[in-house]
Amino acid sequence: MADYINPRFPHKCVITRIEKNNNPLEDGDKVIIIHKGECRSYPNNVVSDKGEVITSTRKLALPTPQHGWTEDNVPKVGDEVEVRRPTYSERGRIIDVQDGNLGTTLLWRKY
């Protein structure tokens, strides 16, 4: 029998926030890394209440619980996500954040 490896957080991800630079004397925007590490990304396909439209979004599970974030570094709507899977990468933007006692779940949409 083959040995299977099935970790809880099999993917790697980077969540970044871009702060616009409003000072014309300074160069460029500031990129802040919110999270860099393990995660689990999976599809979240839902159908409208009339059963007509399938909406495809993604969920991203992070091992960091709500008490592991601070006000400055908690993921927010609009932050960018890059998920690295073994054979490909996905990029997108956060559309909802759900933090809890056992971890954080982000709802995001691919570009």
Side-chain angles (χ1 to χ4, degrees):
M1 178 179 250
D3 291 330
Y4 293 99
I5 299 172
N6 189 14
R8 171 84 172 116
F9 299 103
H11 308 125
K12 301 292 182 198
C13 66
V14 179
I15 300 171
T16 56
R17 180 175 302 142
I18 298 175
E19 287 188 356
K20 299 291 183 185
N21 182 8
N22 295 326
N23 187 346
L25 301 176
E26 295 178 4
D27 293 334
D29 297 332
K30 185 177 179 181
V31 177
I32 300 169
I33 296 177
I34 303 299
H35 173 82
K36 184 175 184 177
E38 60 184 12
C39 64
R40 178 172 51 99
S41 181
Y42 53 98
N44 182 48
N45 298 323
V46 295
V47 179
S48 69
D49 60 349
K50 295 180 182 181
E52 298 170 350
V53 179
I54 296 176
T55 304
S56 178
T57 56
R58 300 279 195 265
K59 284 193 174 182
L60 186 71
L62 301 173
T64 308
Q66 66 185 26
H67 62 271
W69 302 106
T70 65
E71 189 174 334
D72 295 330
N73 78 348
V74 66
K76 296 180 181 176
V77 172
D79 289 348
E80 295 185 9
V81 174
E82 181 179 0
V83 177
R84 295 182 188 125
R85 294 171 176 262
T87 56
Y88 64 96
S89 293
E90 297 178 312
R91 296 179 57 92
R93 192 169 309 277
I94 296 174
I95 58 175
D96 193 21
V97 178
Q98 302 165 343
D99 58 346
N101 293 332
L102 300 176
T104 302
T105 301
L106 307 175
L107 189 63
W108 65 285
R109 186 168 286 128
K110 287 174 39 172
Y111 294 143

